[in-house]
Amino acid sequence: MRSYRLLQIIPFMLFACASESQQNSLQDYEEIDAATVLDAPKATPGSFAPERLYLVERGEYLVELLGCGACHTNGALEGVPDFDKSLAGSSIGIAYTTPLGDETPGVIYPPNLTPDEETGLGLWSDQQIERAIRVGVGRHSGRKIAIMPWQGYTKMTEEDVAAIVSYLRSIKPVRHKVPDEVKPGQKAKHPFVYFGVYRSRDGR
Ligand code: HEC
């Protein structure tokens, strides 16, 4: 299975400038080269009707193209994906409040997308998976899905989203429970990265 790191393809930024300032609240952070592009795992033979092959293959293509595994695979956010756990969720989280101003930011761990019934999407209906991808509504949380760029998937065609669902149902179930969400103010027990988003004040 291939994995190559592409600098700057996915703009995640871990804060790293600790050594430059005594005051820096980010002294507990280190810089990583995290952008990872990885193959989606192959469908399990016999897990789908032969006439659905086209849909499953299209789903695999879309999942690879849209980089779902870069967040939903253990280790990928640090540039060292665990290929045995492709798409089975990440025990490295993503902070959704900024560690710059918040010593203990809120953190979400991208969940397991394999068909495992206990820790993955095994008990989700097709419609629930489709809604999570295109509308950003989770099955458990009842709130809008954070961090995942579902707005970019909203205009996906019915066929494409059905292809993704067929594909996710066809891969090997992997038991892997990701850590629970950490609310801002609580201390995360598992590592996390932060996506930096800045806007300059120039020109106002
Ligand atoms: C930038 C990282 C990122 C990318 C890229 C991403 N996701 Fe997610 N996804 C997440 C996070 C984080 C959550 C949990 C969000 C929450 O609970 O608020 C999530 C939640 C989900 C859920 C709901 C699962 C559950 O157990 O709640 C599904 C389904 C899902 N993603 C599928 C996909 C698919 C399919 C793709 C590719 C088309 C994708 N994701 C791309 C980060 C990402």
Side-chain angles (χ1 to χ4, degrees):
M1 204 170 282
R2 272 180 303 149
S3 153
Y4 27 93
R5 292 156 164 220
L6 295 183
L7 289 176
Q8 293 160 353
I9 281 224
I10 304 176
F12 16 114
M13 233 175 101
L14 198 64
F15 287 102
C17 326
S19 57
E20 284 167 21
S21 158
Q22 297 295 314
Q23 310 270 304
N24 198 321
S25 62
L26 298 173
Q27 58 201 353
D28 293 338
Y29 293 80
E30 60 176 327
E31 189 167 16
I32 51 170
D33 165 19
T36 307
V37 176
L38 65 166
D39 287 350
K42 293 286 166 212
T44 315
S47 67
F48 54 89
E51 63 271 17
R52 293 180 77 82
L53 177 63
Y54 164 75
L55 218 49
V56 169
E57 282 182 349
R58 179 154 186 84
E60 179 187 334
Y61 163 76
L62 288 168
V63 163
E64 232 167 58
L65 182 74
L66 296 169
C68 315
C71 290
H72 286 276
T73 300
N74 215 15
L77 288 163
E78 284 186 345
V80 281
D82 177 350
F83 292 120
D84 292 335
K85 292 202 168 68
S86 264
L87 295 177
S90 174
S91 296
I92 299 166
I94 304 173
Y96 62 87
T97 60
T98 166
L100 207 53
D102 191 351
E103 222 173 281
T104 50
V107 180
I108 295 184
Y109 297 82
N112 185 344
L113 302 184
T114 75
D116 182 60
E117 291 194 354
E118 229 172 85
T119 61
L121 300 180
L123 297 178
W124 288 45
S125 68
D126 289 1
Q127 212 201 9
Q128 284 170 329
I129 302 176
E130 286 175 20
R131 269 168 59 79
I133 297 170
R134 281 203 303 196
V135 190
V137 175
R139 175 169 174 247
H140 309 295
S141 61
R143 53 157 172 76
K144 283 286 181 189
I145 283 180
I147 297 164
M148 175 165 125
W150 56 266
Q151 295 89 340
Y153 312 144
T154 297
K155 296 216 165 176
M156 203 184 277
T157 63
E158 293 288 332
E159 192 186 24
D160 282 348
V161 76
I164 290 182
V165 172
S166 296
Y167 165 70
L168 290 176
R169 296 220 182 280
S170 77
I171 58 177
K172 186 174 63 132
V174 177
R175 183 142 304 183
H176 177 228
K177 181 166 169 14
V178 302
D180 291 335
E181 175 180 344
V182 176
K183 301 276 184 214
Q186 295 173 353
K187 186 135 182 63
K189 296 195 192 87
H190 299 267
F192 59 88
V193 299
Y194 179 65
F195 292 71
V197 180
Y198 296 95
R199 175 175 165 165
S200 91
R201 276 188 275 273
D202 290 347
R204 280 204 207 153

